[in-house]
Amino acid sequence: MTAILDIELIRTFHAVARLGKFSGAAQQLHKSPAAVSVHIQRLEAVAGGRLLNRDNQAVSLTALGKRLLISTTELLATHDRVLADLHGTQLAGRIMLGVPDEYADHVIRDILPTFTAAWPNVILELKTAPSYALREQVQRGKLQAAVLTLPKGQRQAGEVLVTTTPVWVAAIHASASLTEPLALAVHAPQCPYRQVMLQALRQSGRRVRIVLESPSNQAVKACVEAGLAISLIDRGRVTKDMRILSDLPVIPDHEVVFMRSEASYTEEAIDLLGEAMQQRFRL
């Protein structure tokens, strides 16, 4: 009998690979952890080998798993586009979406074009701002949904898109010794990384001076790459012109979350936008 790739199994696999945990994937997919495990086992039977390395903390992709993830990303997107095309014109509405600057490029380039093509009568209005500012606007109903970065464990609502590991970075050519006061490039107030980095340095007794304060992630990265300051960014966003610093306080993991306003839970368009975020969000 010819093997068949089941879209539901692939969707489960992508959720586990993205979140790194069966429990997180189960929560996001509204399934039990046992059901997620069965889906992975069935997909491994079709793939002909193990897709995931598992331990008590998290899961990671095997070589076969990496190949399957890459080869099925477009398949999953195509499936959803075709399905949406059959019903897309029946859905209309307006979504006011907030996105932090550091993820705006990815969301705008890689996620929203597919969504708007599938649902042409849904109008999107975007706003960029620091995560805590966006959270407040969602809670007040001024935004219907937002992508937020929050310290892990502090999420009160919303669905986790991915877990991030903040790391301290300096220019690749910067001196190995860090002199005080430490020169910092920080984001605008109400940014979680700004708050946690200043708090960690203050608690460690380090003296600091702020060289750059900007709402622009690109400006912060440029300041670091130029050797003018150090900063805190996602490990997955470290560039070839940066190096990770190991002698500064360890910062706990954070989570990127898709959060909705209370009134939006009855809106199908935001359900679909949330699904698109879950399926395609990457660091």
Side-chain angles (χ1 to χ4, degrees):
M1 181 178 177
T2 303
I4 298 175
L5 283 173
D6 187 308
I7 287 293
E8 187 176 10
L9 304 186
I10 294 172
R11 197 180 304 284
T12 299
F13 169 64
H14 276 249
V16 174
R18 182 174 63 254
L19 297 173
K21 291 187 177 181
F22 277 63
S23 58
Q27 181 181 8
Q28 185 178 97
L29 298 170
H30 306 292
K31 301 180 185 298
S32 69
V36 170
S37 182
V38 169
H39 278 200
I40 297 301
Q41 291 172 10
R42 288 170 56 191
L43 188 58
E44 287 178 333
V46 175
R50 292 185 62 184
L51 301 173
L52 301 166
N53 296 311
R54 314 171 201 193
D55 60 36
N56 293 331
Q57 300 299 320
V59 298
S60 59
L61 293 171
T62 63
L64 180 61
K66 292 177 181 178
R67 284 171 49 201
L68 184 64
L69 185 70
I70 293 171
S71 61
T72 57
T73 296
E74 185 56 35
L75 173 64
L76 189 60
T78 300
H79 168 273
D80 292 345
R81 280 198 300 269
V82 171
L83 192 62
D85 186 56
L86 297 174
H87 307 286
T89 57
Q90 300 175 14
L91 185 69
R94 182 184 300 271
I95 300 176
M96 298 181 65
L97 174 68
V99 185
D101 178 75
E102 58 265 40
Y103 302 124
D105 183 72
H106 169 47
V107 170
I108 292 170
R109 291 178 182 272
D110 303 327
I111 299 175
L112 297 186
T114 301
F115 179 84
T116 55
W119 311 104
N121 292 328
V122 176
I123 300 171
L124 284 172
E125 297 180 2
L126 304 179
K127 179 173 183 176
T128 61
S131 289
Y132 288 149
L134 293 175
R135 181 178 63 178
E136 180 183 353
Q137 292 183 46
V138 171
Q139 291 171 338
R140 294 170 59 189
K142 293 185 175 296
L143 292 173
Q144 291 162 290
V147 175
L148 312 172
T149 301
L150 300 172
K152 194 170 184 178
Q154 293 190 18
R155 175 177 63 93
Q156 297 177 337
E159 298 178 324
V160 177
L161 301 178
V162 71
T163 298
T164 72
T165 300
V167 292
W168 297 96
V169 290
I172 193 71
H173 56 73
S175 171
S177 62
L178 294 170
T179 59
E180 295 191 17
L182 298 174
L184 301 181
V186 300
H187 289 87
Q190 294 190 290
C191 169
Y193 278 16
R194 173 198 173 107
Q195 294 192 12
V196 74
M197 68 189 291
L198 292 176
Q199 181 180 14
L201 291 173
R202 184 164 51 248
Q203 290 177 344
S204 68
R206 301 282 190 128
R207 294 182 298 114
V208 302
R209 62 186 180 91
I210 295 178
V211 172
L212 171 73
E213 176 182 278
S214 173
S216 168
N217 185 60
Q218 290 301 316
V220 171
K221 288 172 61 177
C223 192
V224 171
E225 291 175 342
L228 300 177
I230 65 172
S231 194
L232 193 71
I233 68 170
D234 297 338
R235 180 179 290 274
R237 292 176 174 265
V238 177
T239 71
K240 62 180 179 58
D241 297 317
M242 298 177 184
R243 63 184 179 90
I244 297 175
L245 304 173
S246 59
D247 55 349
L248 290 173
V250 175
I251 305 299
D253 285 351
H254 283 53
E255 294 174 330
V256 181
V257 175
F258 183 74
M259 183 178 179
R260 307 170 54 157
S261 67
E262 286 293 332
S264 75
Y265 278 91
T266 60
E267 298 184 28
E268 184 182 0
I270 299 180
D271 290 342
L272 294 167
L273 179 59
E275 291 176 7
M277 291 288 184
Q278 291 167 12
Q279 293 164 15
R280 301 182 181 91
F281 195 92
R282 297 287 187 272
L283 287 180

